[in-house]
Amino acid sequence: MNFERTNIAEHQILIDYKGVFSYDVISQLLLTLKEEMERLGEKVVTYKRILVIMIEVLENAGRYLDSHPEVKYDTQFLPTFKLTKNKNMFYIFSGNLVKNEDQIVIQKKIEHLNKASHDDLKKLYRQIISDGKFSNEGGAGLGFIEIAKTSNHKIQYSFEKVNELYAYYNINLELTN
């Protein structure tokens, strides 16, 4: 995340989880989000925007682990999810292992979306839905499109090489309240 603009110490940590994203864990994290938004007195629209992004990020990480069970239990590189707030900005951080060959696909999708306007993202989303071109993993990049549309900020990401097979993928998102 780009913290040059703000000091991480000024961030209020709302959710901080490290571990496997099972459906039970995801349910608990979503409940925690609801409780935190109520505690902060946030608008329903803000809660819904964060919820959409959070679901996409967590499901993508969980789906990846389900399709590559050999990475599921590497405790050194467990999946992570963090939600923080600083003034009128929310920050979502997530990370998980991916195969090195998947890095190129993810990178291309994100770079393409980062260049698109908000209107282009909406058109692309509608086009994919109407074409019905979905992959076996459950989507056609719709999750990334939904994230880009909802956050209204560029998707920041990085990959850290773990070994010859895997990299640790980080996605960092900003959402203005």
Side-chain angles (χ1 to χ4, degrees), residues 103 106-108 110-111 114 155-159 169-172:
Q103 176 179 338
I106 294 168
Q107 201 165 349
K108 282 183 180 180
I110 293 174
E111 289 301 321
N114 279 345
I155 298 172
Q156 298 177 43
Y157 66 95
S158 64
F159 293 92
Y169 161 60
N170 291 287
I171 186 169
N172 306 300

Side-chain angles (χ1 to χ4, degrees), residues 1-174:
M1 196 60 169
N2 184 357
F3 283 112
E4 288 80 60
R5 290 179 280 152
T6 183
N7 184 339
I8 187 86
E10 297 171 1
H11 284 236
Q12 181 180 8
I13 298 171
L14 305 177
I15 299 173
D16 190 2
Y17 176 79
K18 186 174 187 173
V20 177
F21 295 138
S22 68
Y23 284 104
D24 289 340
V25 168
I26 291 172
S27 294
Q28 184 58 49
L29 292 172
L30 296 175
L31 178 62
T32 302
L33 171 66
K34 183 178 181 188
E35 291 168 351
E36 286 295 317
M37 294 295 104
E38 288 173 355
R39 183 182 65 77
L40 293 171
E42 292 295 335
K43 299 175 202 165
V44 173
V45 70
T46 301
Y47 164 69
K48 286 181 179 181
R49 289 175 64 216
I50 294 171
L51 180 66
V52 165
I53 292 171
M54 187 172 169
I55 288 170
E56 292 298 340
V57 168
L58 294 173
E59 283 188 347
N60 285 344
R63 207 178 291 132
Y64 188 85
L65 288 176
D66 289 344
S67 64
H68 299 287
E70 70 277 12
V71 303
K72 191 175 239 179
Y73 302 106
D74 188 332
T75 56
Q76 185 180 358
F77 297 100
L78 285 171
T80 61
F81 179 85
K82 184 183 269 190
L83 173 66
T84 67
K85 182 179 182 191
N86 183 333
K87 299 178 184 158
N88 69 334
M89 292 291 289
F90 286 92
Y91 300 88
I92 296 172
F93 312 88
S94 184
N96 59 281
L97 281 175
V98 296
K99 286 194 168 189
N100 286 333
E101 66 239 28
D102 295 334
Q103 176 179 338
I104 296 165
V105 174
I106 294 168
Q107 201 165 349
K108 282 183 180 180
K109 284 181 183 180
I110 293 174
E111 289 301 321
H112 175 73
L113 296 174
N114 279 345
K115 292 176 184 171
S117 70
H118 191 70
D119 286 339
D120 290 340
L121 292 170
K122 291 192 312 192
K123 287 176 191 171
L124 181 60
Y125 187 87
R126 282 193 296 266
Q127 177 186 353
I128 291 171
I129 292 289
S130 64
D131 289 349
K133 294 180 182 175
F134 297 97
S135 69
N136 291 336
E137 289 79 35
L142 289 175
F144 283 125
I145 297 168
E146 190 68 41
I147 289 167
K149 276 186 356 173
T150 304
S151 74
N152 285 326
H153 291 274
K154 302 292 182 204
I155 298 172
Q156 298 177 43
Y157 66 95
S158 64
F159 293 92
E160 177 187 339
K161 185 176 180 178
V162 172
N163 57 34
E164 296 306 312
L165 295 175
Y166 297 102
Y168 197 79
Y169 161 60
N170 291 287
I171 186 169
N172 306 300
L173 305 158
E174 296 178 355

